Amino acid sequence: MSIRPDWIAVDWGTSNLRVWAMQGRDVLAARSSDAGMNTLEPGGFEPALLALIDSWLGDGATPVIACGMVGSRQGWGEAPYLDVPTVPTGSPARMPVRDARITVSVLPGIKQADPADVMRGEETQIAGLIAEEPRFDGVVCLPGTHTKWVRISAEEVCHFRTAMTGEMHSLLSKQSVLRHSITADWDDQTFLDAVDEVMSRPERIASSLFSIRAAGLVGRECASPAARLSGILIGAELAAMKPYWLGQDVALIGSDKLCALYAQALRLTGLEARILDATRMTLAGLAAAYEGSLT
Amino acid sequence: MSIRPDWIAVDWGTSNLRVWAMQGRDVLAARSSDAGMNTLEPGGFEPALLALIDSWLGDGATPVIACGMVGSRQGWGEAPYLDVPTVPTGSPARMPVRDARITVSVLPGIKQADPADVMRGEETQIAGLIAEEPRFDGVVCLPGTHTKWVRISAEEVCHFRTAMTGEMHSLLSKQSVLRHSITADWDDQTFLDAVDEVMSRPERIASSLFSIRAAGLVGRECASPAARLSGILIGAELAAMKPYWLGQDVALIGSDKLCALYAQALRLTGLEARILDATRMTLAGLAAAYEGSLT
């Protein structure tokens, strides 16, 4: 039996494309590919989408609701940013399509003038959280390539900041001199010691990284250089974001592995963060936008 | 007339090979290539060297004195590290050669157990400084891919630390999302403002980088994103290295451009650093080692 969704949910980031065939809020099927924004030319977005969803399309025009970097200047088409403070879901931008079997709407990102900051995609996960918990008053941390810390109150995004922790980790562990030292070994205590060390003396960040490499050369390897690198970078992020998490109700939305690391690190400060399922939040946010488009 | 040096000085780093035909302390000729350690297989060092110096060789065996990463485990052969505190020049390690027209000696690097740290190449520039100024008592900063801060007293290296500032700058400006924002524009005040900002609030380092990118997206570009990135990274390094430079006589050894930036940044703290010519220091250090080998 063929799948005929009411609408199609799309999370289209820099390096991945994920689609869900939806009936109201229920998922009928899910697919994904590595056709992220970074891999596509301007004319390549519609074909990349159709390659995943073609078999789900019927006679009429199926609405497609998308979020993420697909709405950036380098994406399918620009979906303008909302300005903080703002509710996280704004009017979607319609993308030009050739195939009459779809209409494509992309949700806007959010921008902040001072300090300058932007997000695309995370606002939809936040919309999902607010759809599920309208009275949420606290901070959402969304760990990833560019981790976001977002203050939420009265169903609005008040202000936010980004740390490039995931991207720094990738560059340092794969392309810097530290790549010679990073192994698959992991040790929780090494991670926590590094978080604690950098949070209490953040001014030492710049001198602490090279010692990961040097320790191996002088015969003083730590139990896990990988855990130490993660601990230094996440510790530096927590030091920078202290005004966000201190004394707040913190929810984490991201991959299981990253959220668990952030929760461990925050526990050092006495804070118990809740971990929310990232895909569920994305779908709840896209569903809220789809339902809004029907009224 | 052909050049017939007494000896040949070699500075062999990760990405470059530089050679000088020497008569005592005088330079007869200089050549260089991009045959750095990173580009060479184990058997490739002798041919890479001969490609530059072949025409300088006569009937006898010409001594070659080298410093740098050529003496690392991944180099021609390992020249063991000296331990701090130490004079900066130790017994050179002889490398195996096939060509009877040369003997090759590589100077040892220096290592420190706690905090773990290593250097290879910089110790020879420090030896050059001490050869020229035996009474130097202060700190040498050698800006580069891996910037070293070295405390010198009584002709010895007492202790040192490394910051990966140059490598971080290269990764962030060429390979991270910030590459979209970095232009050729330079503005001194933007650089100094960023140094000052990060030195006074080093805990903000992790949240300050992404705003370089975001500022452009929200229409608030700073005068020079490149200057801001350099300022953040050098500011973070100065914050980490404060115990080194505070109240000290500081000498800078490195490229003219980098030394000028560090001198500008240090001037913000009221410190006037001297800039010493890097090649002169390298040659003075290699010459001291050559003269030591004759006695």
Side-chain angles (χ1 to χ4, degrees):
Chain A
M1 200 185 101
S2 63
I3 292 164
R4 285 283 171 267
D6 299 342
W7 65 287
I8 294 170
V10 175
D11 180 15
W12 207 330
T14 305
S15 45
N16 286 290
L17 166 59
R18 298 192 299 159
V19 302
W20 295 268
M22 304 292 293
Q23 190 159 54
R25 298 190 162 215
D26 296 328
V27 174
L28 304 177
R31 289 178 187 158
S32 66
S33 79
D34 56 5
M37 183 197 71
N38 266 357
T39 69
L40 297 171
E41 296 297 316
F45 287 85
E46 188 171 352
L49 177 63
L50 289 169
L52 285 186
I53 67 170
D54 197 272
S55 70
W56 295 343
L57 302 179
D59 293 334
T62 303
V64 174
I65 315 278
C67 67
M69 292 303 286
V70 63
S72 72
R73 238 173 269 175
Q74 291 78 36
W76 191 331
E78 194 167 6
Y81 293 106
L82 304 168
D83 281 290
V84 290
T86 178
V87 293
T89 315
S91 305
R94 284 292 276 271
M95 297 295 124
V97 290
R98 290 158 178 269
D99 192 315
R101 295 174 300 159
I102 51 173
T103 62
V104 176
S105 304
V106 176
L107 298 179
I110 299 181
K111 74 177 199 282
Q112 174 174 281
D114 188 22
D117 221 322
V118 292
M119 68 169 78
R120 278 206 188 274
E122 294 88 354
E123 76 294 328
T124 301
Q125 299 181 308
I126 293 165
L129 166 61
I130 292 175
E132 295 203 348
E133 302 181 31
R135 301 167 92 168
F136 182 89
D137 193 307
V139 168
V140 183
C141 169
L142 304 105
T145 306
H146 298 152
T147 298
K148 309 288 177 187
W149 289 81
V150 189
R151 180 75 178 90
I152 311 285
S153 188
E155 303 193 19
E156 289 200 332
V157 170
C158 308
H159 50 84
F160 65 102
R161 277 320 308 258
T162 303
M164 293 173 58
T165 306
E167 186 163 19
M168 294 269 278
H169 182 270
S170 172
L171 290 170
L172 288 169
S173 63
K174 292 178 195 153
Q175 301 196 54
S176 84
V177 70
L178 303 186
R179 71 186 184 279
H180 302 299
S181 305
I182 301 298
T183 58
D185 301 311
W186 184 268
D187 177 66
D188 281 335
Q189 197 55 50
T190 302
F191 169 74
L192 292 173
D193 287 348
V195 171
D196 188 51
E197 182 184 321
V198 172
M199 281 188 71
S200 56
R201 304 295 294 267
E203 73 279 8
R204 291 192 186 168
I205 293 162
S207 61
S208 59
L209 288 168
F210 186 75
S211 65
I212 294 174
R213 170 67 176 152
L217 295 173
V218 306
R220 293 195 162 216
E221 283 94 347
C222 69
S224 164
R228 185 157 167 80
L229 175 61
S230 289
I232 290 172
L233 294 177
I234 291 178
E237 178 180 331
L238 292 186
M241 300 302 180
K242 196 169 181 180
Y244 274 84
W245 53 260
L246 192 67
Q248 292 289 334
D249 180 14
V250 174
L252 289 160
I253 303 178
S255 75
D256 293 346
K257 195 179 145 195
L258 267 184
C259 285
L261 277 188
Y262 276 73
Q264 267 192 295
L266 284 166
R267 202 168 292 129
L268 279 185
T269 74
L271 199 151
E272 275 302 323
R274 281 193 300 155
I275 298 179
L276 303 175
D277 186 78
T279 300
R280 197 179 90 215
M281 293 301 131
T282 302
L283 287 175
L286 289 167
Y290 170 67
E291 287 159 13
S293 74
L294 298 179
T295 58
Chain B
M1 201 187 100
S2 63
I3 292 163
R4 286 283 173 269
D6 298 342
W7 66 288
I8 294 170
V10 175
D11 180 16
W12 206 330
T14 306
S15 45
N16 287 290
L17 166 58
R18 297 192 300 160
V19 302
W20 295 267
M22 304 292 293
Q23 189 159 56
R25 298 191 163 213
D26 297 327
V27 174
L28 304 177
R31 290 178 187 158
S32 66
S33 80
D34 56 4
M37 183 197 72
N38 266 356
T39 70
L40 296 172
E41 296 297 317
F45 286 84
E46 187 171 352
L49 178 63
L50 288 170
L52 285 185
I53 67 170
D54 197 273
S55 70
W56 296 343
L57 302 178
D59 293 333
T62 304
V64 174
I65 315 278
C67 67
M69 292 302 286
V70 64
S72 71
R73 237 171 271 176
Q74 292 78 36
W76 190 330
E78 192 165 8
Y81 293 106
L82 305 169
D83 280 291
V84 289
T86 179
V87 293
T89 315
S91 305
R94 283 293 277 271
M95 298 295 125
V97 290
R98 292 159 176 270
D99 193 316
R101 294 174 300 159
I102 51 174
T103 62
V104 176
S105 305
V106 176
L107 299 180
I110 299 180
K111 74 178 199 280
Q112 175 175 278
D114 188 22
D117 221 321
V118 292
M119 68 168 79
R120 278 205 188 274
E122 295 88 353
E123 77 294 328
T124 301
Q125 297 181 311
I126 293 164
L129 165 62
I130 292 175
E132 294 204 347
E133 302 181 32
R135 302 169 90 167
F136 181 89
D137 192 307
V139 169
V140 183
C141 168
L142 304 105
T145 304
H146 298 152
T147 298
K148 308 288 177 187
W149 288 81
V150 189
R151 181 75 177 88
I152 310 285
S153 187
E155 304 192 19
E156 289 200 333
V157 169
C158 308
H159 49 85
F160 65 103
R161 279 315 313 254
T162 302
M164 293 174 57
T165 306
E167 186 163 20
M168 294 269 279
H169 182 272
S170 172
L171 290 170
L172 288 170
S173 62
K174 291 178 195 154
Q175 301 198 55
S176 84
V177 70
L178 302 186
R179 71 186 184 279
H180 302 299
S181 305
I182 301 297
T183 58
D185 300 310
W186 185 266
D187 177 66
D188 280 335
Q189 195 57 49
T190 301
F191 169 73
L192 292 172
D193 287 348
V195 171
D196 188 50
E197 183 184 321
V198 172
M199 281 188 71
S200 57
R201 304 295 294 267
E203 73 279 9
R204 292 192 186 167
I205 293 161
S207 60
S208 59
L209 287 169
F210 186 74
S211 66
I212 294 174
R213 170 67 176 153
L217 295 172
V218 305
R220 294 195 161 217
E221 283 94 347
C222 70
S224 163
R228 185 157 166 79
L229 175 61
S230 290
I232 289 171
L233 295 177
I234 292 177
E237 178 180 332
L238 292 186
M241 300 301 180
K242 196 169 180 179
Y244 274 83
W245 52 260
L246 191 68
Q248 292 289 333
D249 180 14
V250 175
L252 290 160
I253 303 178
S255 76
D256 292 348
K257 196 178 145 194
L258 267 184
C259 285
L261 277 188
Y262 276 73
Q264 266 192 294
L266 285 167
R267 202 168 292 128
L268 279 183
T269 74
L271 199 152
E272 276 302 323
R274 282 192 300 154
I275 298 179
L276 303 176
D277 186 79
T279 300
R280 197 180 90 217
M281 292 302 130
T282 302
L283 288 175
L286 289 167
Y290 171 67
E291 287 159 13
S293 75
L294 297 179
T295 58

